[in-house]
Amino acid sequence: ALVICDMWDQHWCRGASRRVAEMAPRMDEAVRAARERGVLIIHCPSSCMGFYGNTPQRQRAQQAPSVETQIPLQGWCHLDADREGILPIDDSDGGCDCSPSCPTASPWKRQIETIQIAPEDAITDSAEAFYLMRQRGIENVMVMGVHTNMCVLGRPFGLRQLAKNGINVVLVRDMTDSMYNPKAWPYVSHQEGTSRIVSHIERHVCPTVTSDQILGGQPFVFKPLN
């Protein structure tokens, strides 16, 4: 399966919205290529289930029978300091790197339109993703999506909970971003902050791959700001 984590149509942080929009076309290409090879695509735009209502993709997730898990699935899985130590960046300010900082809000309503949702896909923002995997005997999962230090790690369809419950999960590391403000510790660039989170994930949570292993060519890189 391929899980698309919280690629919202809009984020409260302008910088985050810009990077999502820049990454989304490449992600859509990877999603299409995976789908053509028979991979189940699970779209997970958290807090946007109302938008998808009674669509077949939403119903597909809702109809997956619940299963008992090795580790109870939580709405949010926080960092376990005994297992991971500390995160290599300070994101306690919310991670907005804009100047002035953007006011926090919840402007998202759906997944960004750039990423196609096909009839055979599924849509959820809960443990239903894991139930779908078990229903279909899926053991190998790729996660793409946006904020490595937040939803990608913490959600019930995120890396920590999938790994703890025996899924062979990998992060597609060039198809991610972070919420990190370079004015916070360790005072590195935004991209370096993301790179440090990816290294933390590789060390403590799961392996990573890059989108060129699906599409060929080169891994995705954000354009430098002028």
Side-chain angles (χ1 to χ4, degrees):
L2 192 157
V3 171
I4 302 169
C5 181
D6 286 333
M7 287 289 288
W8 288 311
D9 57 337
Q10 187 179 358
H11 197 278
W12 59 266
C13 169
R14 297 187 306 274
S17 291
R18 176 184 56 79
R19 287 186 290 270
V20 163
E22 184 180 344
M23 190 185 349
R26 171 76 172 189
M27 190 177 293
D28 183 59
E29 290 180 31
V31 168
R32 289 172 187 265
R35 188 186 291 117
E36 288 172 3
R37 297 173 197 177
V39 173
L40 172 65
I41 310 300
I42 307 176
H43 305 265
C44 297
S46 295
S47 305
C48 299
M49 294 303 98
F51 181 87
Y52 297 100
N54 294 318
T55 62
Q57 298 94 333
R58 178 76 194 103
Q59 290 176 342
R60 184 168 293 121
Q62 289 174 308
Q63 291 165 2
S66 61
V67 295
E68 192 170 332
T69 57
Q70 298 174 32
I71 308 294
L73 291 169
Q74 308 167 54
W76 189 273
C77 183
H78 293 278
L79 178 142
D80 179 348
D82 291 336
R83 181 186 177 108
E84 295 182 35
I86 64 168
L87 283 182
I89 60 172
D90 178 4
D91 57 11
S92 59
D93 64 354
C96 176
D97 59 334
C98 300
S99 184
S101 295
C102 305
T104 56
S106 302
W108 40 81
K109 291 182 171 47
R110 56 169 297 172
Q111 181 169 277
I112 190 168
E113 290 184 69
T114 312
I115 301 171
Q116 181 201 34
I117 299 176
E120 64 269 33
D121 296 352
I123 300 173
T124 181
D125 66 351
S126 70
E128 294 165 351
F130 187 84
Y131 302 157
L132 263 174
M133 294 170 199
R134 281 288 178 255
Q135 181 187 43
R136 298 185 178 216
I138 292 169
E139 297 180 354
N140 303 311
V141 176
M142 298 178 289
V143 175
M144 297 179 178
V146 61
H147 296 125
T148 46
N149 55 319
M150 296 196 174
C151 299
V152 169
L153 278 171
R155 297 288 189 187
F157 43 81
L159 302 176
R160 285 187 182 119
Q161 302 202 66
L162 294 182
K164 286 179 179 180
N165 279 289
I167 296 290
N168 299 320
V169 63
V170 297
L171 171 70
V172 185
R173 66 179 180 269
D174 63 323
M175 295 278 91
T176 58
D177 187 27
S178 64
M179 290 300 295
Y180 169 64
N181 179 5
K183 293 179 181 178
W185 179 84
Y187 312 106
V188 295
S189 70
H190 179 89
Q191 271 127 352
E192 174 61 20
T194 301
S195 178
R196 293 191 184 197
I197 285 289
V198 168
S199 296
H200 175 91
I201 288 168
E202 291 173 331
R203 190 174 300 115
H204 300 291
V205 184
C206 71
T208 69
V209 296
T210 47
S211 63
D212 57 300
Q213 293 170 264
I214 303 170
L215 290 170
Q218 298 297 317
F220 173 83
V221 179
F222 287 109
K223 296 174 184 174
L225 290 174
N226 295 328

